[in-house]
Amino acid sequence: MDTRPSWDEYFMGIAEQVATRSTCLRRSVGAVLVRDQYIVSTGYNGAPRGTAHCLEVGCLREALGIPSGQRHEICRGSHGEINAICQAAAMGVSTKGSTLYCTHEPCAFCTKALIGAGIREVVFLHPYPDELARSLRAEAGILVRVMARS
């Protein structure tokens, strides 16, 4: 009997572990970019490298009572998907043709970056209500799979 996890289970498990590094006070998100069964990069949501984390200085969106999914531009943190793309860029690693495993469905901002970075497939656990993101992924031909947990 084979007790090894499937590739999807393996990479999503890593995304969930990456999410534990999140410094966001609202939601912990982990992302893993994979190409040909190799990890290209990882990312979690939090402030840019070298800047104060929300854990240290608080959350402006929380202080202003801004609901989830709104006014992303005033958040000091970047989403896990963006940080995974940035990590790959910083290391000089191509993301073209990669699959993104992410704990949460990407928003429109992240979706635009994923399209530009050449990501071909997105696999996530938790949906995020962003119709523009879904429309953009469909238009760009990105395959999308919602992974069910057993």
Side-chain angles (χ1 to χ4, degrees):
M1 183 165 110
D2 188 4
T3 59
R4 294 173 63 194
S6 69
W7 284 113
D8 281 348
E9 292 166 333
Y10 175 71
F11 291 123
M12 190 59 75
I14 293 170
E16 289 177 304
Q17 184 63 37
V18 169
T20 66
R21 292 283 304 154
S22 171
T23 59
C24 180
L25 298 172
R26 289 182 152 197
R27 180 176 301 167
S28 296
V29 176
V32 178
L33 283 172
V34 175
R35 190 176 57 245
D36 299 325
Q37 309 303 353
Y38 290 100
I39 294 173
V40 172
S41 65
T42 64
Y44 53 86
N45 54 335
R49 183 183 302 267
T51 65
H53 294 293
C54 300
L55 290 172
E56 300 162 337
V57 298
C59 175
L60 180 58
R61 292 174 67 232
E62 191 72 29
L64 296 175
I66 297 170
S68 178
Q70 297 180 16
R71 303 289 317 270
H72 293 279
E73 74 278 5
I74 66 168
C75 177
R76 71 181 297 108
S78 296
H79 290 180
E81 305 93 316
I82 297 288
N83 284 331
I85 292 168
C86 289
Q87 182 187 76
M91 296 292 119
V93 178
S94 174
T95 57
K96 187 175 183 179
S98 300
T99 296
L100 173 78
Y101 287 87
C102 196
T103 56
H104 294 72
E105 183 177 7
C107 70
F109 288 111
C110 291
T111 293
K112 290 184 263 184
L114 295 168
I115 292 167
I119 308 307
R120 66 172 177 78
E121 182 177 22
V122 172
V123 182
F124 63 87
L125 287 173
H126 307 290
Y128 186 76
D130 189 330
E131 290 306 317
L132 176 58
R134 291 176 183 151
S135 174
L136 288 169
R137 286 192 300 267
E139 185 178 342
I142 294 177
L143 302 172
V144 176
R145 291 188 292 126
V146 180
M147 190 172 155
R149 279 299 202 190
S150 41

